[in-house]
Amino acid sequence: MDFGRGTRADAAGADDGLLHDEGLIRRAKALACTAPLHDLDANKGLVEWADARVYQMAEIGLHTIDQVAIAMDFDTGASRRHVLSRVQRFVARQAPERSDEEHARVARWVLDSLINLGDVERAFRRPYGAVDATGVYRVLVFPFKLIVERRDSAGVLYLHASHEALNVLVGALDTDVESAQEAAEVKLANLIRRGRLTDAKQVAEQARVRTIQYGELIHAQLEATRRNIQAVDWREKFPELLSEALAHVQERVRAERAIARNMAEARDEAVNPVRKRQAAELVDIVEDCIRRHIRLQQRLLEARGVFRAEQDRQQFSVQPHRSTFDLFGQLLRPALDLPVSDAVGAVDCFFSRSAGPAVPDLPYLATLVPALLRPAPEPPRFAGRVEEPEVERLEETTRFTAAQWEIAEQLLHLPGEVRSLSSLLEEAALIDADLPALVALLGLHAYCPDAGAAQRRGQDQVRVAVRADSALDSVGFAGDDLWLTTARVQQPLPDVSDRAGQAQDTEAGT
């Protein structure tokens, strides 16, 4: 009995672990961030203006995120023109035989897909599952963005890589940024000492992106402070984060300067041109990390000043008495998910309250009475001078004359014989230079004759054309040759009742 109770307790503990598996939810969200990159390759067959199957769209998407992340700064982002220019060169490497216009269009298509221009909120949405406190499994929606369009203080539009995009770029799914960067720089120093400069360059590029990601965390907290100072914990959590960030930046700058100095010496002493180029690229990347850390340090030192300024501004500003209403997110989207009978009440209530009462127009008595008593104006006796219209004679637009139509009909009247279209064209060319075009037109019209219509009209003959096994190349006409003939149309026999009625009429007449 004790063994059974222990087993049920273990099972209950296991179930509790499943109920609160936050790691599973984080991994599901991290996996969802890669879905737009896979959709690029899945949807490239739908591109109508080019054969996009030769392009690796997911790689182009990663390269686009890379260019945006490298070009953006703490307060500003990447220029759209600069990013498209860099991505276009990468696209041209995949298909050098294609035109530059197609390369530029592919780069724009990938960038617009990562921005998600087709959505009003410019956000991707992926479902994921979670078990709530009652033990019920529910499917939720995870909204995220990869590349965001923003405007700076001067109103200039720029591109910004989101936190999820940086995770997709460096593969740092659910990792601590500071510890990951320290580990990356220790790994970088070890690779440099061992002379593996190619691997060291990859680690240095990842460390640079992690620096950008670390700055994004600070920037997001400062932006939230500017919107609402109560949304950020400035009592304990964020001041500790600022202190840790300042200490981290100072240590990273010292370590990176030592790495850059050693790599500069290795670059100057290298004899192999490949090794010298790799060392020079490494020096540039590490120096860029140093510049970013110095700018980040400046923003960290200014963060407490931002807090004090926003505290004074928001404390003495007039608080709004009513919150703003999101028409799209709070009314339209929920109403579209409801049945019509349930959505009518909410929509009718909104429009009746938002439209307001209609005020009728009231006439002003001081202007209405003179207007009614004013005598009508006297119409003029004559309407004025009537201008003589200019009449232009229409020119005859008929291409073929009646004589040409008659000759063509005679050539194509073939009862009891079959002739090819090529021979008829050659014969028509000897008669008149414009006649072959009319003969060819009538011959094509006879390819699918309407025998039923000819029978109803009472015609006894119809022109018929069938395809020949030879090619047509005569008098400037090319294609498949035709066999032409004139077939006799047999009129339908009268019905038996009709014949009996005709016989009775004949007898009566007799």
Side-chain angles (χ1 to χ4, degrees):
M1 296 297 293
D2 294 338
F3 179 75
R5 285 196 299 270
T7 304
R8 286 193 296 271
D10 294 340
D15 291 339
D16 292 339
L18 290 177
L19 291 178
H20 306 286
D21 192 357
E22 294 292 337
L24 179 62
I25 298 175
R26 285 197 300 268
R27 283 179 289 169
K29 291 182 178 180
L31 184 62
C33 294
T34 63
L37 297 175
H38 300 298
D39 292 341
L40 291 175
D41 278 321
N43 297 330
K44 65 183 180 180
L46 303 178
V47 175
E48 299 178 353
W49 38 265
D51 184 9
R53 292 175 296 179
V54 298
Y55 298 105
Q56 301 299 321
M57 295 298 184
E59 297 179 6
I60 298 175
L62 285 174
H63 186 73
T64 304
I65 298 174
D66 194 358
Q67 298 303 317
V68 173
I70 292 174
M72 71 183 193
D73 203 350
F74 188 83
D75 294 327
T76 60
S79 171
R80 181 183 177 92
R81 182 180 301 177
H82 172 74
V83 172
L84 289 177
S85 176
R86 300 295 297 269
V87 176
Q88 181 179 352
R89 291 201 290 267
F90 180 77
V91 175
R93 295 290 184 89
Q94 294 190 0
E97 70 279 358
R98 302 293 180 88
S99 62
D100 294 339
E101 182 181 358
E102 180 177 320
H103 297 157
R105 200 165 182 180
V106 170
R108 288 196 301 269
W109 182 77
V110 172
L111 179 59
D112 293 342
S113 299
L114 294 177
I115 299 174
N116 199 12
L117 292 180
D119 188 81
V120 177
E121 299 178 355
R122 306 290 175 86
F124 299 96
R125 295 175 180 83
R126 296 290 170 177
Y128 70 97
V131 180
D132 58 10
T134 61
V136 179
Y137 181 84
R138 301 184 183 276
V139 178
L140 307 176
V141 177
F142 171 51
F144 64 95
K145 298 180 181 181
L146 292 181
I147 297 179
V148 185
E149 290 181 320
R150 295 179 180 174
R151 292 189 182 275
D152 56 8
S153 57
V156 179
L157 189 67
Y158 62 88
L159 303 177
H160 202 86
S162 65
H163 184 70
E164 292 84 3
L166 296 176
N167 277 337
V168 172
L169 178 64
V170 300
L173 304 179
D174 192 22
T175 57
D176 179 63
V177 176
E178 182 178 358
S179 60
Q181 187 171 5
E182 291 179 355
E185 292 185 355
V186 172
K187 182 180 179 181
L188 175 62
N190 291 329
L191 291 173
I192 292 174
R193 283 197 302 268
R194 294 163 59 186
R196 298 174 58 182
L197 299 184
T198 303
D199 297 335
K201 178 184 175 183
Q202 298 177 358
V203 176
E205 289 176 347
Q206 292 182 357
R208 177 170 60 181
V209 176
R210 294 186 194 280
T211 300
I212 299 171
Q213 189 177 7
Y214 197 83
E216 277 297 296
L217 295 177
I218 303 298
H219 179 74
Q221 295 294 326
L222 293 179
E223 286 296 319
T225 301
R226 291 187 177 94
R227 290 190 297 269
N228 184 10
I229 197 172
Q230 297 179 356
V232 182
D233 184 9
W234 276 93
R235 185 180 297 274
E236 296 179 0
K237 185 176 180 180
F238 196 61
E240 292 178 0
L241 178 62
L242 290 177
S243 301
E244 294 175 0
L246 281 172
H248 165 76
V249 168
Q250 293 174 357
E251 293 177 1
R252 292 307 99 208
V253 169
R254 285 195 296 268
E256 288 166 353
R257 282 178 174 170
I259 293 173
R261 186 169 53 253
N262 294 333
M263 285 308 306
E265 295 176 357
R267 176 196 59 192
D268 298 337
E269 297 174 358
V271 179
N272 189 352
V274 177
R275 187 177 180 82
K276 182 181 288 291
R277 178 177 56 81
Q278 293 175 348
E281 293 176 352
L282 250 171
V283 170
D284 293 338
I285 294 175
V286 175
E287 288 181 351
D288 184 49
C289 290
I290 295 173
R291 289 192 295 269
R292 292 180 182 274
H293 274 125
I294 292 175
R295 287 196 294 269
L296 178 60
Q297 184 182 22
Q298 182 181 359
R299 298 299 188 277
L300 292 173
L301 294 174
E302 297 173 353
R304 288 180 171 83
V306 172
F307 165 70
R308 288 189 292 269
E310 291 298 324
Q311 186 181 29
D312 295 339
R313 183 182 68 83
Q314 298 182 20
Q315 183 177 2
F316 297 103
S317 62
V318 179
Q319 298 293 332
H321 297 285
R322 181 175 296 177
S323 61
T324 58
F325 182 74
D326 184 8
L327 180 61
F328 179 80
Q330 297 181 0
L331 178 63
L332 180 59
R333 185 180 289 276
L336 292 177
D337 295 335
L338 294 175
V340 177
S341 57
D342 298 337
V344 166
V347 175
D348 184 51
C349 178
F350 167 76
F351 281 104
S352 61
R353 301 287 180 85
S354 61
V359 180
D361 295 333
L362 297 178
Y364 187 46
L365 188 62
T367 58
L368 177 62
V369 173
L372 293 175
L373 297 178
R374 185 173 61 238
E378 186 133 343
R381 183 176 180 184
F382 300 102
R385 182 178 178 182
V386 179
E387 303 225 356
E388 188 73 19
E390 295 182 1
V391 181
E392 294 184 0
R393 187 177 182 84
L394 295 178
E395 297 181 359
E396 185 69 27
T397 57
T398 304
R399 179 179 177 183
F400 304 108
T401 63
Q404 289 175 336
W405 277 94
E406 184 178 356
I407 297 173
E409 290 290 347
Q410 292 177 1
L411 288 175
L412 293 174
H413 185 63
L414 305 168
E417 85 179 287
V418 178
R419 293 190 60 180
S420 62
L421 179 59
S422 57
S423 62
L424 292 172
L425 292 176
E426 293 175 358
E427 185 177 349
L430 297 176
I431 301 173
D432 190 350
D434 294 335
L435 194 58
L438 181 57
V439 173
L441 181 63
L442 294 175
L444 291 177
H445 188 267
Y447 185 74
C448 186
D450 192 353
Q455 190 179 56
R456 289 191 298 271
R457 289 195 295 265
Q459 297 178 357
D460 56 349
Q461 292 180 347
V462 65
R463 190 179 301 116
V464 179
V466 295
R467 181 180 175 184
D469 294 335
S470 59
L472 174 63
D473 187 6
S474 176
V475 200
F477 294 92
D480 292 333
D481 204 353
L482 299 175
W483 291 113
L484 293 165
T485 186
T486 302
R488 186 170 62 87
V489 178
Q490 183 178 0
Q491 297 298 330
L493 295 175
D495 195 10
V496 177
S497 59
D498 295 340
R499 291 199 301 268
Q502 293 176 2
Q504 292 176 3
D505 293 340
T506 304
E507 294 176 359
T510 305

